[in-house]
Amino acid sequence: MAEDTGSSNSSIVAIFAIVLIVLISGFFAWQMGVFGGHGGKKELDINVKTGQATQPAR
């Protein structure tokens, strides 16, 4: 009976450790932008430089 309790506690600790590792690695992945988050405000510069319009010759 004591062996069942010991292995049960070990299983709970192992599951907790795995969940903790997944959460920490997910946080670091989010910080690096793997999921598209943490991008902040992005501006797109769409200015198009064109030549000056010429007037028709008279």
Side-chain angles (χ1 to χ4, degrees):
M1 202 77 172
E3 289 180 24
D4 292 339
T5 305
S7 66
S8 175
N9 287 341
S10 297
S11 300
I12 291 172
V13 170
I15 291 171
F16 178 73
I18 291 170
V19 169
L20 195 62
I21 290 169
V22 167
L23 288 176
I24 291 172
S25 61
F27 174 76
F28 283 122
W30 173 72
Q31 286 292 323
M32 291 188 298
V34 173
F35 304 117
H38 193 45
K41 184 179 178 183
K42 295 182 180 177
E43 279 189 34
L44 181 61
D45 185 13
I46 55 170
N47 292 330
V48 178
K49 298 190 186 300
T50 57
Q52 185 177 7
T54 58
Q55 295 190 6
R58 292 185 187 192

